[in-house]
Amino acid sequence: MNERLLFSPYYLPRSCRSIAACVLIAFAVGSVGAVYGADSYESYDVYLLAMYTTNGEFPSAHDRAAAIASRDDQRELADALRVFQSAHADLRPHELESLVRMLIERAERSIRESATIADELAASLSPFLDDISTQPSGLRETLLRTGVLFRDDPQWRRSLQAEGHRIEREIRDRSGNLSAAEAGGVVAWLYAARTLSDPVLLRITVIIEQQVRNRSVVLAARRARTEIERSIDASTTAD
């Protein structure tokens, strides 16, 4: 007889089947607890999010991500975001994007509301922020708003430059005509770029101001250009 069938609960007497089922459930929960129980900031929801994501069970993964986001625990959010950096996700691209976006939007609100960021969360966000231009379009605006809250390192500058070059190409390809969603992403980029005294970002800002056919974007570019120019002038005078 097949060994797996031999030890199946269905070959036990009826009175023992419920006991066997309870033992199996207890073993499964115990195994999860061995992995996630040692650290109070890790949770079963993160484990389940990883499992459902790997198995391509989007509705269940969405429920777990929503539960994690509702608790507003920055370290748990960090754990959840790491799921999407290490686990194989058997989900459609738009499903995967929606999960990541939910978690990052919650992280952004948490950073704004508390004016602090846990080291773990900063580390988990970094891979998404380090190359914004390669991220799905639905994530870029959120990432730009999040990054400007705490990033000021050289990698952030390079990421903004790369995203600026992508925007420049998009403006050229569309002859300056942007959809509402695209315009929102450009405004978010301008808000992030104006915090740095960078000639590359200034050049792209001028292109946006001159070529985009959207008044709100042009006004945002004008403000950004003024602030970047003022910052560059101040740094030059200081030198």
Side-chain angles (χ1 to χ4, degrees), residues 101 108 132 136-147 163 180-189:
R101 186 173 182 177
E108 179 205 353
I132 290 174
S137 59
L139 272 181
R140 293 181 196 134
E141 186 174 345
T142 301
L143 289 170
L144 287 163
R145 293 197 310 264
T146 304
E163 173 62 359
E182 292 163 343
V186 175
V187 170
W189 181 87

PDB file of all heavy atoms in Angstrom, residues 101 108 132 136-147 163 180-189:
ATOM      1  N   ARG A 101       1.614  48.334  -3.737  1.00  0.00           N
ATOM      2  CA  ARG A 101       1.175  49.727  -3.619  1.00  0.00           C
ATOM      3  C   ARG A 101       0.412  49.954  -2.321  1.00  0.00           C
ATOM      4  O   ARG A 101       0.590  50.982  -1.651  1.00  0.00           O
ATOM      5  CB  ARG A 101       0.295  50.096  -4.813  1.00  0.00           C
ATOM      6  CG  ARG A 101      -0.096  51.561  -4.860  1.00  0.00           C
ATOM      7  CD  ARG A 101      -0.821  51.882  -6.139  1.00  0.00           C
ATOM      8  NE  ARG A 101      -1.164  53.299  -6.225  1.00  0.00           N
ATOM      9  CZ  ARG A 101      -1.756  53.851  -7.277  1.00  0.00           C
ATOM     10  NH1 ARG A 101      -2.053  53.112  -8.331  1.00  0.00           N
ATOM     11  NH2 ARG A 101      -2.029  55.135  -7.273  1.00  0.00           N
ATOM     12  N   GLU A 108       3.940  55.205   3.603  1.00  0.00           N
ATOM     13  CA  GLU A 108       4.053  56.651   3.407  1.00  0.00           C
ATOM     14  C   GLU A 108       3.225  57.413   4.442  1.00  0.00           C
ATOM     15  O   GLU A 108       3.702  58.378   5.067  1.00  0.00           O
ATOM     16  CB  GLU A 108       3.586  57.027   2.001  1.00  0.00           C
ATOM     17  CG  GLU A 108       3.650  58.527   1.721  1.00  0.00           C
ATOM     18  CD  GLU A 108       2.683  58.972   0.640  1.00  0.00           C
ATOM     19  OE1 GLU A 108       2.052  58.112  -0.004  1.00  0.00           O
ATOM     20  OE2 GLU A 108       2.545  60.190   0.455  1.00  0.00           O
ATOM     21  N   ILE A 132      13.362  53.945  -9.445  1.00  0.00           N
ATOM     22  CA  ILE A 132      11.934  54.209  -9.634  1.00  0.00           C
ATOM     23  C   ILE A 132      11.520  54.046 -11.089  1.00  0.00           C
ATOM     24  O   ILE A 132      10.415  53.593 -11.393  1.00  0.00           O
ATOM     25  CB  ILE A 132      11.594  55.627  -9.123  1.00  0.00           C
ATOM     26  CG1 ILE A 132      11.696  55.663  -7.599  1.00  0.00           C
ATOM     27  CG2 ILE A 132      10.189  56.059  -9.555  1.00  0.00           C
ATOM     28  CD1 ILE A 132      11.525  57.041  -7.007  1.00  0.00           C
ATOM     29  N   PRO A 136       6.523  49.696 -11.971  1.00  0.00           N
ATOM     30  CA  PRO A 136       5.260  49.886 -12.704  1.00  0.00           C
ATOM     31  C   PRO A 136       4.749  51.312 -12.548  1.00  0.00           C
ATOM     32  O   PRO A 136       4.973  51.952 -11.514  1.00  0.00           O
ATOM     33  CB  PRO A 136       4.312  48.879 -12.045  1.00  0.00           C
ATOM     34  CG  PRO A 136       5.209  47.861 -11.427  1.00  0.00           C
ATOM     35  CD  PRO A 136       6.446  48.590 -11.005  1.00  0.00           C
ATOM     36  N   SER A 137       4.064  51.805 -13.550  1.00  0.00           N
ATOM     37  CA  SER A 137       3.621  53.198 -13.549  1.00  0.00           C
ATOM     38  C   SER A 137       2.752  53.535 -12.342  1.00  0.00           C
ATOM     39  O   SER A 137       2.808  54.646 -11.810  1.00  0.00           O
ATOM     40  CB  SER A 137       2.864  53.518 -14.849  1.00  0.00           C
ATOM     41  OG  SER A 137       1.735  52.666 -14.987  1.00  0.00           O
ATOM     42  N   GLY A 138       1.942  52.587 -11.897  1.00  0.00           N
ATOM     43  CA  GLY A 138       1.071  52.853 -10.757  1.00  0.00           C
ATOM     44  C   GLY A 138       1.808  53.039  -9.447  1.00  0.00           C
ATOM     45  O   GLY A 138       1.242  53.562  -8.485  1.00  0.00           O
ATOM     46  N   LEU A 139       3.062  52.603  -9.392  1.00  0.00           N
ATOM     47  CA  LEU A 139       3.835  52.715  -8.160  1.00  0.00           C
ATOM     48  C   LEU A 139       4.705  53.971  -8.113  1.00  0.00           C
ATOM     49  O   LEU A 139       5.089  54.413  -7.031  1.00  0.00           O
ATOM     50  CB  LEU A 139       4.768  51.498  -8.021  1.00  0.00           C
ATOM     51  CG  LEU A 139       4.227  50.251  -7.332  1.00  0.00           C
ATOM     52  CD1 LEU A 139       5.311  49.188  -7.273  1.00  0.00           C
ATOM     53  CD2 LEU A 139       3.742  50.569  -5.935  1.00  0.00           C
ATOM     54  N   ARG A 140       5.024  54.526  -9.260  1.00  0.00           N
ATOM     55  CA  ARG A 140       6.045  55.589  -9.306  1.00  0.00           C
ATOM     56  C   ARG A 140       5.655  56.798  -8.461  1.00  0.00           C
ATOM     57  O   ARG A 140       6.472  57.327  -7.700  1.00  0.00           O
ATOM     58  CB  ARG A 140       6.300  56.016 -10.749  1.00  0.00           C
ATOM     59  CG  ARG A 140       6.962  54.935 -11.597  1.00  0.00           C
ATOM     60  CD  ARG A 140       7.202  55.424 -13.014  1.00  0.00           C
ATOM     61  NE  ARG A 140       7.477  54.302 -13.903  1.00  0.00           N
ATOM     62  CZ  ARG A 140       6.916  54.151 -15.093  1.00  0.00           C
ATOM     63  NH1 ARG A 140       6.057  55.051 -15.552  1.00  0.00           N
ATOM     64  NH2 ARG A 140       7.212  53.113 -15.842  1.00  0.00           N
ATOM     65  N   GLU A 141       4.420  57.253  -8.602  1.00  0.00           N
ATOM     66  CA  GLU A 141       3.998  58.449  -7.873  1.00  0.00           C
ATOM     67  C   GLU A 141       4.071  58.210  -6.368  1.00  0.00           C
ATOM     68  O   GLU A 141       4.550  59.067  -5.605  1.00  0.00           O
ATOM     69  CB  GLU A 141       2.586  58.842  -8.290  1.00  0.00           C
ATOM     70  CG  GLU A 141       2.117  60.149  -7.688  1.00  0.00           C
ATOM     71  CD  GLU A 141       0.768  60.594  -8.240  1.00  0.00           C
ATOM     72  OE1 GLU A 141       0.330  60.059  -9.284  1.00  0.00           O
ATOM     73  OE2 GLU A 141       0.161  61.484  -7.614  1.00  0.00           O
ATOM     74  N   THR A 142       3.606  57.055  -5.919  1.00  0.00           N
ATOM     75  CA  THR A 142       3.668  56.729  -4.493  1.00  0.00           C
ATOM     76  C   THR A 142       5.101  56.675  -4.001  1.00  0.00           C
ATOM     77  O   THR A 142       5.427  57.179  -2.925  1.00  0.00           O
ATOM     78  CB  THR A 142       2.972  55.382  -4.228  1.00  0.00           C
ATOM     79  OG1 THR A 142       1.615  55.455  -4.657  1.00  0.00           O
ATOM     80  CG2 THR A 142       3.018  55.028  -2.749  1.00  0.00           C
ATOM     81  N   LEU A 143       5.981  56.073  -4.784  1.00  0.00           N
ATOM     82  CA  LEU A 143       7.388  55.964  -4.397  1.00  0.00           C
ATOM     83  C   LEU A 143       8.052  57.336  -4.321  1.00  0.00           C
ATOM     84  O   LEU A 143       8.863  57.596  -3.421  1.00  0.00           O
ATOM     85  CB  LEU A 143       8.130  55.062  -5.383  1.00  0.00           C
ATOM     86  CG  LEU A 143       7.785  53.580  -5.302  1.00  0.00           C
ATOM     87  CD1 LEU A 143       8.392  52.821  -6.487  1.00  0.00           C
ATOM     88  CD2 LEU A 143       8.289  52.985  -3.983  1.00  0.00           C
ATOM     89  N   LEU A 144       7.727  58.216  -5.248  1.00  0.00           N
ATOM     90  CA  LEU A 144       8.299  59.563  -5.220  1.00  0.00           C
ATOM     91  C   LEU A 144       7.854  60.309  -3.972  1.00  0.00           C
ATOM     92  O   LEU A 144       8.653  60.992  -3.317  1.00  0.00           O
ATOM     93  CB  LEU A 144       7.890  60.326  -6.483  1.00  0.00           C
ATOM     94  CG  LEU A 144       8.598  59.888  -7.770  1.00  0.00           C
ATOM     95  CD1 LEU A 144       7.852  60.400  -8.993  1.00  0.00           C
ATOM     96  CD2 LEU A 144      10.045  60.387  -7.778  1.00  0.00           C
ATOM     97  N   ARG A 145       6.583  60.186  -3.616  1.00  0.00           N
ATOM     98  CA  ARG A 145       6.097  60.855  -2.408  1.00  0.00           C
ATOM     99  C   ARG A 145       6.739  60.266  -1.157  1.00  0.00           C
ATOM    100  O   ARG A 145       7.019  60.989  -0.197  1.00  0.00           O
ATOM    101  CB  ARG A 145       4.568  60.723  -2.305  1.00  0.00           C
ATOM    102  CG  ARG A 145       3.787  61.468  -3.366  1.00  0.00           C
ATOM    103  CD  ARG A 145       2.317  61.606  -2.930  1.00  0.00           C
ATOM    104  NE  ARG A 145       1.758  60.333  -2.521  1.00  0.00           N
ATOM    105  CZ  ARG A 145       1.043  59.542  -3.322  1.00  0.00           C
ATOM    106  NH1 ARG A 145       0.820  59.872  -4.578  1.00  0.00           N
ATOM    107  NH2 ARG A 145       0.550  58.397  -2.867  1.00  0.00           N
ATOM    108  N   THR A 146       6.980  58.965  -1.182  1.00  0.00           N
ATOM    109  CA  THR A 146       7.557  58.301  -0.011  1.00  0.00           C
ATOM    110  C   THR A 146       9.032  58.634   0.128  1.00  0.00           C
ATOM    111  O   THR A 146       9.505  58.963   1.223  1.00  0.00           O
ATOM    112  CB  THR A 146       7.374  56.780  -0.121  1.00  0.00           C
ATOM    113  OG1 THR A 146       5.994  56.468  -0.296  1.00  0.00           O
ATOM    114  CG2 THR A 146       7.885  56.084   1.138  1.00  0.00           C
ATOM    115  N   GLY A 147       9.760  58.560  -0.970  1.00  0.00           N
ATOM    116  CA  GLY A 147      11.197  58.780  -0.922  1.00  0.00           C
ATOM    117  C   GLY A 147      11.583  60.157  -0.446  1.00  0.00           C
ATOM    118  O   GLY A 147      12.562  60.317   0.305  1.00  0.00           O
ATOM    119  N   GLU A 163      14.555  58.601 -13.385  1.00  0.00           N
ATOM    120  CA  GLU A 163      13.131  58.812 -13.594  1.00  0.00           C
ATOM    121  C   GLU A 163      12.892  60.088 -14.406  1.00  0.00           C
ATOM    122  O   GLU A 163      11.990  60.142 -15.250  1.00  0.00           O
ATOM    123  CB  GLU A 163      12.406  58.887 -12.242  1.00  0.00           C
ATOM    124  CG  GLU A 163      10.930  59.270 -12.315  1.00  0.00           C
ATOM    125  CD  GLU A 163      10.050  58.295 -13.086  1.00  0.00           C
ATOM    126  OE1 GLU A 163      10.562  57.279 -13.606  1.00  0.00           O
ATOM    127  OE2 GLU A 163       8.830  58.559 -13.175  1.00  0.00           O
ATOM    128  N   ALA A 180      -3.996  62.370 -17.212  1.00  0.00           N
ATOM    129  CA  ALA A 180      -4.089  62.850 -15.829  1.00  0.00           C
ATOM    130  C   ALA A 180      -3.179  62.047 -14.904  1.00  0.00           C
ATOM    131  O   ALA A 180      -2.505  62.611 -14.033  1.00  0.00           O
ATOM    132  CB  ALA A 180      -5.537  62.771 -15.359  1.00  0.00           C
ATOM    133  N   ALA A 181      -3.132  60.730 -15.116  1.00  0.00           N
ATOM    134  CA  ALA A 181      -2.277  59.885 -14.280  1.00  0.00           C
ATOM    135  C   ALA A 181      -0.802  60.200 -14.513  1.00  0.00           C
ATOM    136  O   ALA A 181      -0.002  60.285 -13.568  1.00  0.00           O
ATOM    137  CB  ALA A 181      -2.555  58.417 -14.574  1.00  0.00           C
ATOM    138  N   GLU A 182      -0.423  60.370 -15.765  1.00  0.00           N
ATOM    139  CA  GLU A 182       0.967  60.697 -16.078  1.00  0.00           C
ATOM    140  C   GLU A 182       1.341  62.063 -15.525  1.00  0.00           C
ATOM    141  O   GLU A 182       2.449  62.255 -15.002  1.00  0.00           O
ATOM    142  CB  GLU A 182       1.171  60.661 -17.593  1.00  0.00           C
ATOM    143  CG  GLU A 182       1.069  59.260 -18.186  1.00  0.00           C
ATOM    144  CD  GLU A 182       0.852  59.277 -19.695  1.00  0.00           C
ATOM    145  OE1 GLU A 182       0.465  60.340 -20.235  1.00  0.00           O
ATOM    146  OE2 GLU A 182       1.069  58.228 -20.317  1.00  0.00           O
ATOM    147  N   ALA A 183       0.425  63.018 -15.628  1.00  0.00           N
ATOM    148  CA  ALA A 183       0.686  64.355 -15.097  1.00  0.00           C
ATOM    149  C   ALA A 183       0.910  64.307 -13.588  1.00  0.00           C
ATOM    150  O   ALA A 183       1.794  64.992 -13.055  1.00  0.00           O
ATOM    151  CB  ALA A 183      -0.476  65.284 -15.427  1.00  0.00           C
ATOM    152  N   GLY A 184       0.123  63.472 -12.885  1.00  0.00           N
ATOM    153  CA  GLY A 184       0.304  63.334 -11.450  1.00  0.00           C
ATOM    154  C   GLY A 184       1.679  62.811 -11.094  1.00  0.00           C
ATOM    155  O   GLY A 184       2.305  63.276 -10.128  1.00  0.00           O
ATOM    156  N   GLY A 185       2.179  61.858 -11.885  1.00  0.00           N
ATOM    157  CA  GLY A 185       3.513  61.330 -11.646  1.00  0.00           C
ATOM    158  C   GLY A 185       4.593  62.366 -11.887  1.00  0.00           C
ATOM    159  O   GLY A 185       5.592  62.424 -11.156  1.00  0.00           O
ATOM    160  N   VAL A 186       4.415  63.210 -12.907  1.00  0.00           N
ATOM    161  CA  VAL A 186       5.396  64.255 -13.197  1.00  0.00           C
ATOM    162  C   VAL A 186       5.422  65.290 -12.074  1.00  0.00           C
ATOM    163  O   VAL A 186       6.491  65.747 -11.652  1.00  0.00           O
ATOM    164  CB  VAL A 186       5.092  64.926 -14.555  1.00  0.00           C
ATOM    165  CG1 VAL A 186       6.041  66.109 -14.797  1.00  0.00           C
ATOM    166  CG2 VAL A 186       5.227  63.912 -15.686  1.00  0.00           C
ATOM    167  N   VAL A 187       4.238  65.676 -11.582  1.00  0.00           N
ATOM    168  CA  VAL A 187       4.179  66.641 -10.475  1.00  0.00           C
ATOM    169  C   VAL A 187       4.870  66.067  -9.233  1.00  0.00           C
ATOM    170  O   VAL A 187       5.596  66.779  -8.530  1.00  0.00           O
ATOM    171  CB  VAL A 187       2.719  67.020 -10.166  1.00  0.00           C
ATOM    172  CG1 VAL A 187       2.634  67.828  -8.871  1.00  0.00           C
ATOM    173  CG2 VAL A 187       2.129  67.816 -11.319  1.00  0.00           C
ATOM    174  N   ALA A 188       4.667  64.781  -8.964  1.00  0.00           N
ATOM    175  CA  ALA A 188       5.328  64.144  -7.826  1.00  0.00           C
ATOM    176  C   ALA A 188       6.841  64.161  -8.013  1.00  0.00           C
ATOM    177  O   ALA A 188       7.598  64.392  -7.054  1.00  0.00           O
ATOM    178  CB  ALA A 188       4.824  62.703  -7.663  1.00  0.00           C
ATOM    179  N   TRP A 189       7.299  63.924  -9.242  1.00  0.00           N
ATOM    180  CA  TRP A 189       8.738  63.979  -9.512  1.00  0.00           C
ATOM    181  C   TRP A 189       9.272  65.391  -9.292  1.00  0.00           C
ATOM    182  O   TRP A 189      10.343  65.578  -8.692  1.00  0.00           O
ATOM    183  CB  TRP A 189       9.034  63.523 -10.948  1.00  0.00           C
ATOM    184  CG  TRP A 189      10.504  63.551 -11.264  1.00  0.00           C
ATOM    185  CD1 TRP A 189      11.410  62.555 -11.029  1.00  0.00           C
ATOM    186  CD2 TRP A 189      11.246  64.630 -11.842  1.00  0.00           C
ATOM    187  NE1 TRP A 189      12.667  62.949 -11.429  1.00  0.00           N
ATOM    188  CE2 TRP A 189      12.596  64.219 -11.934  1.00  0.00           C
ATOM    189  CE3 TRP A 189      10.893  65.901 -12.294  1.00  0.00           C
ATOM    190  CZ2 TRP A 189      13.590  65.041 -12.455  1.00  0.00           C
ATOM    191  CZ3 TRP A 189      11.885  66.728 -12.814  1.00  0.00           C
ATOM    192  CH2 TRP A 189      13.220  66.298 -12.896  1.00  0.00           C
TER     193      TRP A 189
END
